[in-house]
Amino acid sequence: MKTAILLMAHGSRIPEANDAVREIAAMVKEMTGHEIVEVSFREQHLPNIQEGVDACVARGAERVLLMPYFLFVGAHVQEDLPEEMAEARRRYPTVEFAMGGHLGVHRKLAEVAVDRIAEALTATGWH
């Protein structure tokens, strides 16, 4: 069965800010080898989540893993994204849908923070 990964980000009013998740999607595609990796946004920008689902199905996905690209648990992660998945299931009853976990607390995120701290200390000359 063909599986798609749909990254779901919040979205920003600043269009260029949304490019970051597209870059992450390209990295995810390269690192996982999944043929279908799409991006969608909950607010502020297109494609919205249902349009992202449509893109996955149009590319032949029989299963779609919805991945919240959100740092913390909040109303979007707890309520809105599950509602989006329920809507996708209603719209595509023959496609399987599952939801992955949000980014949350993870050692690798702490490692990224440490890297950024080191960069800032170097840039300021404090290191």
Short mmCIF file of all heavy atoms in Angstrom, two decimals, residues 60-120:
data_model
loop_
_atom_site.label_atom_id
_atom_site.label_comp_id
_atom_site.label_asym_id
_atom_site.label_seq_id
_atom_site.Cartn_x
_atom_site.Cartn_y
_atom_site.Cartn_z
N GLY A 60 -1.98 9.03 -5.26
CA GLY A 60 -2.13 7.59 -5.15
C GLY A 60 -2.02 7.03 -3.75
O GLY A 60 -1.94 5.81 -3.58
N ALA A 61 -2.02 7.86 -2.74
CA ALA A 61 -1.90 7.36 -1.37
C ALA A 61 -3.13 6.53 -0.99
O ALA A 61 -4.26 6.94 -1.21
CB ALA A 61 -1.73 8.52 -0.39
N GLU A 62 -2.84 5.38 -0.40
CA GLU A 62 -3.89 4.53 0.15
C GLU A 62 -3.92 4.63 1.67
O GLU A 62 -4.88 4.22 2.31
CB GLU A 62 -3.66 3.09 -0.27
CG GLU A 62 -3.67 2.92 -1.78
CD GLU A 62 -3.03 1.62 -2.21
OE1 GLU A 62 -1.78 1.56 -2.24
OE2 GLU A 62 -3.79 0.67 -2.51
N ARG A 63 -2.83 5.18 2.22
CA ARG A 63 -2.72 5.46 3.65
C ARG A 63 -2.07 6.82 3.79
O ARG A 63 -1.14 7.14 3.04
CB ARG A 63 -1.84 4.43 4.37
CG ARG A 63 -2.36 3.02 4.29
CD ARG A 63 -1.54 2.08 5.11
NE ARG A 63 -0.17 1.99 4.61
CZ ARG A 63 0.64 0.97 4.82
NH1 ARG A 63 0.25 -0.06 5.53
NH2 ARG A 63 1.87 0.98 4.33
N VAL A 64 -2.55 7.61 4.76
CA VAL A 64 -1.98 8.93 5.00
C VAL A 64 -1.67 9.06 6.49
O VAL A 64 -2.56 8.92 7.33
CB VAL A 64 -2.93 10.07 4.56
CG1 VAL A 64 -2.29 11.43 4.83
CG2 VAL A 64 -3.31 9.93 3.09
N LEU A 65 -0.40 9.31 6.77
CA LEU A 65 0.04 9.57 8.14
C LEU A 65 0.10 11.08 8.31
O LEU A 65 0.92 11.75 7.67
CB LEU A 65 1.41 8.94 8.42
CG LEU A 65 1.97 9.17 9.82
CD1 LEU A 65 1.04 8.58 10.88
CD2 LEU A 65 3.36 8.59 9.93
N LEU A 66 -0.80 11.60 9.13
CA LEU A 66 -0.84 13.03 9.40
C LEU A 66 0.11 13.32 10.55
O LEU A 66 -0.04 12.77 11.65
CB LEU A 66 -2.26 13.46 9.76
CG LEU A 66 -3.27 13.34 8.62
CD1 LEU A 66 -4.01 12.01 8.69
CD2 LEU A 66 -4.25 14.47 8.66
N MET A 67 1.11 14.17 10.29
CA MET A 67 2.13 14.47 11.29
C MET A 67 2.03 15.94 11.72
O MET A 67 2.30 16.84 10.93
CB MET A 67 3.53 14.20 10.72
CG MET A 67 3.83 12.75 10.51
SD MET A 67 3.71 11.73 12.02
CE MET A 67 4.86 12.55 13.11
N PRO A 68 1.67 16.18 12.99
CA PRO A 68 1.59 17.55 13.49
C PRO A 68 3.00 18.15 13.64
O PRO A 68 3.79 17.66 14.45
CB PRO A 68 0.92 17.41 14.85
CG PRO A 68 0.30 16.06 14.85
CD PRO A 68 1.16 15.21 13.96
N TYR A 69 3.29 19.17 12.87
CA TYR A 69 4.56 19.88 12.99
C TYR A 69 4.33 21.05 13.95
O TYR A 69 4.37 22.22 13.59
CB TYR A 69 5.05 20.34 11.61
CG TYR A 69 6.48 20.82 11.61
CD1 TYR A 69 7.53 19.92 11.74
CD2 TYR A 69 6.77 22.16 11.48
CE1 TYR A 69 8.84 20.36 11.76
CE2 TYR A 69 8.09 22.60 11.48
CZ TYR A 69 9.11 21.70 11.63
OH TYR A 69 10.41 22.15 11.64
N PHE A 70 4.00 20.66 15.19
CA PHE A 70 3.70 21.59 16.27
C PHE A 70 4.59 21.24 17.44
O PHE A 70 4.79 20.06 17.75
CB PHE A 70 2.24 21.45 16.72
CG PHE A 70 1.24 22.05 15.76
CD1 PHE A 70 0.94 21.43 14.56
CD2 PHE A 70 0.58 23.23 16.07
CE1 PHE A 70 0.02 21.97 13.68
CE2 PHE A 70 -0.35 23.78 15.20
CZ PHE A 70 -0.62 23.15 14.00
N LEU A 71 5.11 22.26 18.11
CA LEU A 71 6.03 22.02 19.21
C LEU A 71 5.30 21.56 20.47
O LEU A 71 5.74 20.62 21.13
CB LEU A 71 6.84 23.29 19.50
CG LEU A 71 8.03 23.16 20.43
CD1 LEU A 71 8.98 22.05 19.97
CD2 LEU A 71 8.77 24.48 20.53
N PHE A 72 4.19 22.19 20.80
CA PHE A 72 3.51 21.92 22.07
C PHE A 72 2.10 21.40 21.85
O PHE A 72 1.49 21.64 20.81
CB PHE A 72 3.43 23.19 22.92
CG PHE A 72 4.77 23.82 23.17
CD1 PHE A 72 5.09 25.03 22.60
CD2 PHE A 72 5.71 23.18 23.96
CE1 PHE A 72 6.33 25.62 22.83
CE2 PHE A 72 6.95 23.75 24.19
CZ PHE A 72 7.26 24.97 23.62
N VAL A 73 1.58 20.73 22.89
CA VAL A 73 0.18 20.33 22.90
C VAL A 73 -0.65 21.59 23.13
O VAL A 73 -0.34 22.40 23.99
CB VAL A 73 -0.11 19.31 24.02
CG1 VAL A 73 -1.61 19.07 24.16
CG2 VAL A 73 0.59 18.00 23.73
N GLY A 74 -1.66 21.77 22.35
CA GLY A 74 -2.57 22.90 22.49
C GLY A 74 -3.87 22.51 21.82
O GLY A 74 -4.08 21.34 21.46
N ALA A 75 -4.74 23.48 21.65
CA ALA A 75 -6.06 23.20 21.07
C ALA A 75 -5.95 22.62 19.67
O ALA A 75 -6.73 21.73 19.29
CB ALA A 75 -6.91 24.47 21.06
N HIS A 76 -4.99 23.11 18.89
CA HIS A 76 -4.85 22.57 17.53
C HIS A 76 -4.51 21.08 17.59
O HIS A 76 -5.12 20.27 16.89
CB HIS A 76 -3.77 23.31 16.75
CG HIS A 76 -4.16 24.69 16.34
ND1 HIS A 76 -5.42 25.03 15.88
CD2 HIS A 76 -3.44 25.84 16.31
CE1 HIS A 76 -5.45 26.31 15.60
NE2 HIS A 76 -4.26 26.83 15.85
N VAL A 77 -3.53 20.73 18.40
CA VAL A 77 -3.07 19.33 18.47
C VAL A 77 -4.14 18.44 19.11
O VAL A 77 -4.40 17.34 18.62
CB VAL A 77 -1.73 19.23 19.24
CG1 VAL A 77 -1.36 17.78 19.52
CG2 VAL A 77 -0.63 19.92 18.43
N GLN A 78 -4.77 18.92 20.16
CA GLN A 78 -5.73 18.09 20.89
C GLN A 78 -7.10 18.02 20.23
O GLN A 78 -7.77 16.99 20.33
CB GLN A 78 -5.90 18.59 22.32
CG GLN A 78 -4.70 18.28 23.18
CD GLN A 78 -4.95 18.65 24.63
OE1 GLN A 78 -5.66 19.61 24.94
NE2 GLN A 78 -4.37 17.89 25.53
N GLU A 79 -7.53 19.09 19.58
CA GLU A 79 -8.89 19.13 19.07
C GLU A 79 -8.97 19.29 17.55
O GLU A 79 -9.62 18.51 16.87
CB GLU A 79 -9.66 20.28 19.75
CG GLU A 79 -9.75 20.14 21.25
CD GLU A 79 -10.19 21.42 21.95
OE1 GLU A 79 -10.64 22.36 21.26
OE2 GLU A 79 -10.08 21.47 23.18
N ASP A 80 -8.32 20.34 17.04
CA ASP A 80 -8.50 20.69 15.64
C ASP A 80 -7.94 19.64 14.68
O ASP A 80 -8.58 19.30 13.69
CB ASP A 80 -7.86 22.05 15.34
CG ASP A 80 -8.48 23.16 16.17
OD1 ASP A 80 -9.66 23.04 16.55
OD2 ASP A 80 -7.77 24.16 16.45
N LEU A 81 -6.74 19.16 14.95
CA LEU A 81 -6.14 18.19 14.04
C LEU A 81 -6.89 16.86 14.04
O LEU A 81 -7.11 16.29 12.96
CB LEU A 81 -4.65 18.01 14.33
CG LEU A 81 -3.81 19.29 14.19
CD1 LEU A 81 -2.32 18.99 14.45
CD2 LEU A 81 -4.01 19.96 12.85
N PRO A 82 -7.32 16.33 15.19
CA PRO A 82 -8.17 15.14 15.14
C PRO A 82 -9.47 15.37 14.36
O PRO A 82 -9.94 14.46 13.67
CB PRO A 82 -8.44 14.82 16.61
CG PRO A 82 -7.24 15.36 17.33
CD PRO A 82 -6.90 16.64 16.57
N GLU A 83 -10.03 16.57 14.46
CA GLU A 83 -11.23 16.88 13.66
C GLU A 83 -10.92 16.88 12.17
O GLU A 83 -11.73 16.43 11.36
CB GLU A 83 -11.81 18.23 14.09
CG GLU A 83 -12.47 18.21 15.45
CD GLU A 83 -12.89 19.59 15.94
OE1 GLU A 83 -12.79 20.58 15.17
OE2 GLU A 83 -13.30 19.69 17.11
N GLU A 84 -9.75 17.38 11.82
CA GLU A 84 -9.32 17.36 10.41
C GLU A 84 -9.20 15.92 9.92
O GLU A 84 -9.59 15.59 8.80
CB GLU A 84 -7.99 18.10 10.23
CG GLU A 84 -8.06 19.58 10.47
CD GLU A 84 -8.61 20.38 9.30
OE1 GLU A 84 -9.04 19.80 8.29
OE2 GLU A 84 -8.59 21.62 9.40
N MET A 85 -8.64 15.04 10.77
CA MET A 85 -8.51 13.64 10.38
C MET A 85 -9.88 12.99 10.23
O MET A 85 -10.12 12.23 9.28
CB MET A 85 -7.65 12.86 11.38
CG MET A 85 -7.40 11.42 10.91
SD MET A 85 -6.16 10.53 11.86
CE MET A 85 -6.99 10.36 13.42
N ALA A 86 -10.80 13.31 11.12
CA ALA A 86 -12.15 12.76 11.02
C ALA A 86 -12.82 13.22 9.72
O ALA A 86 -13.48 12.43 9.04
CB ALA A 86 -12.99 13.18 12.23
N GLU A 87 -12.60 14.47 9.35
CA GLU A 87 -13.16 14.99 8.09
C GLU A 87 -12.54 14.27 6.90
O GLU A 87 -13.24 13.92 5.95
CB GLU A 87 -12.92 16.51 7.99
CG GLU A 87 -13.36 17.12 6.68
CD GLU A 87 -14.85 17.03 6.40
OE1 GLU A 87 -15.65 16.79 7.33
OE2 GLU A 87 -15.24 17.19 5.22
N ALA A 88 -11.23 14.04 6.94
CA ALA A 88 -10.56 13.32 5.85
C ALA A 88 -11.12 11.91 5.73
O ALA A 88 -11.34 11.42 4.61
CB ALA A 88 -9.06 13.29 6.10
N ARG A 89 -11.38 11.26 6.85
CA ARG A 89 -11.95 9.90 6.82
C ARG A 89 -13.34 9.90 6.20
O ARG A 89 -13.70 8.98 5.48
CB ARG A 89 -12.01 9.33 8.24
CG ARG A 89 -10.68 8.86 8.75
CD ARG A 89 -10.79 8.28 10.14
NE ARG A 89 -9.54 7.64 10.52
CZ ARG A 89 -9.09 7.57 11.76
NH1 ARG A 89 -9.81 8.08 12.76
NH2 ARG A 89 -7.96 6.98 12.02
N ARG A 90 -14.12 10.94 6.51
CA ARG A 90 -15.47 11.05 5.92
C ARG A 90 -15.36 11.24 4.40
O ARG A 90 -16.13 10.67 3.64
CB ARG A 90 -16.24 12.21 6.53
CG ARG A 90 -16.86 11.92 7.89
CD ARG A 90 -17.81 13.02 8.33
NE ARG A 90 -17.14 14.26 8.70
CZ ARG A 90 -16.58 14.50 9.90
NH1 ARG A 90 -16.62 13.56 10.83
NH2 ARG A 90 -16.00 15.65 10.14
N ARG A 91 -14.41 12.06 3.98
CA ARG A 91 -14.26 12.38 2.57
C ARG A 91 -13.66 11.24 1.76
O ARG A 91 -13.95 11.10 0.58
CB ARG A 91 -13.40 13.63 2.43
CG ARG A 91 -14.07 14.87 3.02
CD ARG A 91 -13.18 16.11 3.00
NE ARG A 91 -12.83 16.44 1.64
CZ ARG A 91 -11.58 16.63 1.21
NH1 ARG A 91 -10.57 16.54 2.03
NH2 ARG A 91 -11.34 16.92 -0.04
N TYR A 92 -12.80 10.44 2.40
CA TYR A 92 -12.11 9.34 1.71
C TYR A 92 -12.24 8.06 2.54
O TYR A 92 -11.28 7.62 3.18
CB TYR A 92 -10.62 9.69 1.52
CG TYR A 92 -10.38 10.85 0.59
CD1 TYR A 92 -10.05 12.10 1.09
CD2 TYR A 92 -10.48 10.69 -0.80
CE1 TYR A 92 -9.82 13.17 0.24
CE2 TYR A 92 -10.26 11.76 -1.66
CZ TYR A 92 -9.92 13.00 -1.13
OH TYR A 92 -9.70 14.05 -1.98
N PRO A 93 -13.40 7.44 2.52
CA PRO A 93 -13.63 6.26 3.37
C PRO A 93 -12.77 5.05 3.02
O PRO A 93 -12.60 4.16 3.85
CB PRO A 93 -15.12 5.96 3.18
CG PRO A 93 -15.51 6.65 1.92
CD PRO A 93 -14.59 7.81 1.75
N THR A 94 -12.19 5.00 1.82
CA THR A 94 -11.37 3.84 1.45
C THR A 94 -9.88 4.06 1.74
O THR A 94 -9.08 3.16 1.53
CB THR A 94 -11.54 3.50 -0.05
OG1 THR A 94 -11.10 4.62 -0.84
CG2 THR A 94 -13.00 3.16 -0.36
N VAL A 95 -9.54 5.24 2.21
CA VAL A 95 -8.15 5.56 2.55
C VAL A 95 -7.97 5.44 4.06
O VAL A 95 -8.83 5.85 4.83
CB VAL A 95 -7.77 6.98 2.08
CG1 VAL A 95 -6.36 7.36 2.50
CG2 VAL A 95 -7.93 7.10 0.56
N GLU A 96 -6.86 4.84 4.48
CA GLU A 96 -6.55 4.73 5.91
C GLU A 96 -5.85 6.01 6.37
O GLU A 96 -4.98 6.52 5.67
CB GLU A 96 -5.64 3.54 6.19
CG GLU A 96 -6.28 2.20 5.97
CD GLU A 96 -5.32 1.07 6.29
OE1 GLU A 96 -4.69 1.12 7.37
OE2 GLU A 96 -5.18 0.17 5.46
N PHE A 97 -6.22 6.50 7.56
CA PHE A 97 -5.61 7.68 8.13
C PHE A 97 -5.15 7.38 9.55
O PHE A 97 -5.82 6.68 10.29
CB PHE A 97 -6.60 8.86 8.17
CG PHE A 97 -6.97 9.37 6.81
CD1 PHE A 97 -8.08 8.88 6.15
CD2 PHE A 97 -6.20 10.34 6.19
CE1 PHE A 97 -8.43 9.35 4.89
CE2 PHE A 97 -6.53 10.82 4.93
CZ PHE A 97 -7.64 10.31 4.27
N ALA A 98 -4.00 7.92 9.90
CA ALA A 98 -3.49 7.82 11.26
C ALA A 98 -2.79 9.14 11.59
O ALA A 98 -2.34 9.86 10.69
CB ALA A 98 -2.51 6.66 11.40
N MET A 99 -2.70 9.43 12.89
CA MET A 99 -2.08 10.67 13.33
C MET A 99 -0.84 10.34 14.15
O MET A 99 -0.89 9.53 15.09
CB MET A 99 -3.05 11.46 14.20
CG MET A 99 -2.51 12.78 14.72
SD MET A 99 -2.97 14.21 13.73
CE MET A 99 -4.73 14.10 13.71
N GLY A 100 0.28 10.97 13.79
CA GLY A 100 1.49 10.83 14.58
C GLY A 100 1.50 11.86 15.70
O GLY A 100 0.61 12.69 15.82
N GLY A 101 2.53 11.79 16.52
CA GLY A 101 2.66 12.72 17.65
C GLY A 101 3.28 14.04 17.23
O GLY A 101 4.03 14.11 16.26
N HIS A 102 2.97 15.09 17.98
CA HIS A 102 3.58 16.40 17.76
C HIS A 102 5.05 16.35 18.18
O HIS A 102 5.51 15.37 18.76
CB HIS A 102 2.81 17.48 18.53
CG HIS A 102 2.92 17.34 20.01
ND1 HIS A 102 2.27 16.35 20.72
CD2 HIS A 102 3.64 18.04 20.91
CE1 HIS A 102 2.58 16.46 21.99
NE2 HIS A 102 3.40 17.48 22.14
N LEU A 103 5.79 17.38 17.88
CA LEU A 103 7.23 17.38 18.16
C LEU A 103 7.52 17.23 19.65
O LEU A 103 8.37 16.45 20.05
CB LEU A 103 7.89 18.64 17.60
CG LEU A 103 7.80 18.78 16.09
CD1 LEU A 103 8.36 20.12 15.66
CD2 LEU A 103 8.53 17.64 15.39
N GLY A 104 6.86 18.02 20.47
CA GLY A 104 6.94 17.88 21.92
C GLY A 104 8.33 17.97 22.51
O GLY A 104 9.22 18.60 21.95
N VAL A 105 8.51 17.35 23.64
CA VAL A 105 9.79 17.33 24.35
C VAL A 105 10.59 16.15 23.83
O VAL A 105 10.15 15.01 23.92
CB VAL A 105 9.57 17.21 25.87
CG1 VAL A 105 10.90 17.11 26.59
CG2 VAL A 105 8.74 18.37 26.39
N HIS A 106 11.75 16.46 23.26
CA HIS A 106 12.58 15.40 22.70
C HIS A 106 14.04 15.83 22.83
O HIS A 106 14.37 17.00 22.61
CB HIS A 106 12.22 15.18 21.23
CG HIS A 106 12.76 13.89 20.67
ND1 HIS A 106 14.09 13.71 20.37
CD2 HIS A 106 12.14 12.73 20.37
CE1 HIS A 106 14.27 12.50 19.90
NE2 HIS A 106 13.10 11.88 19.89
N ARG A 107 14.89 14.90 23.13
CA ARG A 107 16.31 15.20 23.31
C ARG A 107 16.92 15.87 22.06
O ARG A 107 17.75 16.76 22.16
CB ARG A 107 17.08 13.94 23.67
CG ARG A 107 18.55 14.22 23.92
CD ARG A 107 19.26 13.04 24.57
NE ARG A 107 20.61 13.42 24.91
CZ ARG A 107 20.98 14.06 26.01
NH1 ARG A 107 20.07 14.42 26.90
NH2 ARG A 107 22.25 14.35 26.23
N LYS A 108 16.49 15.45 20.88
CA LYS A 108 17.04 16.04 19.66
C LYS A 108 16.67 17.52 19.54
O LYS A 108 17.45 18.31 18.99
CB LYS A 108 16.60 15.25 18.43
CG LYS A 108 17.27 13.90 18.36
CD LYS A 108 16.97 13.17 17.09
CE LYS A 108 17.71 11.83 17.13
NZ LYS A 108 17.61 11.12 15.88
N LEU A 109 15.51 17.92 20.05
CA LEU A 109 15.16 19.34 20.05
C LEU A 109 16.06 20.11 21.01
O LEU A 109 16.48 21.24 20.72
CB LEU A 109 13.70 19.55 20.41
CG LEU A 109 12.70 19.08 19.35
CD1 LEU A 109 11.28 19.18 19.89
CD2 LEU A 109 12.84 19.90 18.09
N ALA A 110 16.39 19.49 22.13
CA ALA A 110 17.34 20.12 23.06
C ALA A 110 18.71 20.25 22.40
O ALA A 110 19.40 21.27 22.57
CB ALA A 110 17.44 19.31 24.35
N GLU A 111 19.11 19.25 21.62
CA GLU A 111 20.39 19.33 20.90
C GLU A 111 20.39 20.48 19.90
O GLU A 111 21.39 21.19 19.77
CB GLU A 111 20.68 18.00 20.20
CG GLU A 111 20.99 16.86 21.15
CD GLU A 111 21.06 15.50 20.47
OE1 GLU A 111 21.01 15.44 19.21
OE2 GLU A 111 21.15 14.49 21.19
N VAL A 112 19.28 20.69 19.21
CA VAL A 112 19.17 21.82 18.28
C VAL A 112 19.29 23.13 19.06
O VAL A 112 20.00 24.05 18.63
CB VAL A 112 17.84 21.77 17.49
CG1 VAL A 112 17.61 23.06 16.71
CG2 VAL A 112 17.82 20.57 16.56
N ALA A 113 18.62 23.22 20.21
CA ALA A 113 18.71 24.43 21.03
C ALA A 113 20.15 24.68 21.47
O ALA A 113 20.64 25.82 21.42
CB ALA A 113 17.79 24.32 22.25
N VAL A 114 20.85 23.63 21.88
CA VAL A 114 22.25 23.77 22.29
C VAL A 114 23.11 24.25 21.11
O VAL A 114 23.98 25.12 21.28
CB VAL A 114 22.78 22.45 22.88
CG1 VAL A 114 24.29 22.46 23.05
CG2 VAL A 114 22.09 22.17 24.22
N ASP A 115 22.87 23.71 19.92
CA ASP A 115 23.59 24.16 18.72
C ASP A 115 23.35 25.65 18.47
O ASP A 115 24.28 26.40 18.17
CB ASP A 115 23.18 23.36 17.48
CG ASP A 115 23.70 21.93 17.49
OD1 ASP A 115 24.58 21.60 18.31
OD2 ASP A 115 23.22 21.15 16.65
N ARG A 116 22.10 26.07 18.57
CA ARG A 116 21.76 27.48 18.32
C ARG A 116 22.38 28.39 19.40
O ARG A 116 22.80 29.51 19.12
CB ARG A 116 20.25 27.67 18.27
CG ARG A 116 19.59 27.02 17.09
CD ARG A 116 20.02 27.69 15.79
NE ARG A 116 19.21 27.25 14.69
CZ ARG A 116 19.68 26.66 13.61
NH1 ARG A 116 20.98 26.48 13.47
NH2 ARG A 116 18.88 26.28 12.65
N ILE A 117 22.42 27.90 20.64
CA ILE A 117 23.05 28.67 21.73
C ILE A 117 24.54 28.85 21.42
O ILE A 117 25.08 29.95 21.54
CB ILE A 117 22.83 27.97 23.09
CG1 ILE A 117 21.36 28.08 23.48
CG2 ILE A 117 23.75 28.56 24.17
CD1 ILE A 117 20.94 27.15 24.61
N ALA A 118 25.19 27.77 21.00
CA ALA A 118 26.62 27.84 20.67
C ALA A 118 26.85 28.82 19.53
O ALA A 118 27.80 29.62 19.57
CB ALA A 118 27.14 26.45 20.31
N GLU A 119 25.99 28.78 18.51
CA GLU A 119 26.11 29.73 17.39
C GLU A 119 25.97 31.17 17.88
O GLU A 119 26.72 32.06 17.46
CB GLU A 119 25.04 29.44 16.34
CG GLU A 119 25.24 28.15 15.58
CD GLU A 119 24.03 27.76 14.74
OE1 GLU A 119 23.05 28.55 14.65
OE2 GLU A 119 24.04 26.65 14.18
N ALA A 120 24.99 31.42 18.75
CA ALA A 120 24.76 32.77 19.26
C ALA A 120 25.93 33.24 20.13
O ALA A 120 26.35 34.39 20.02
CB ALA A 120 23.46 32.82 20.06
#
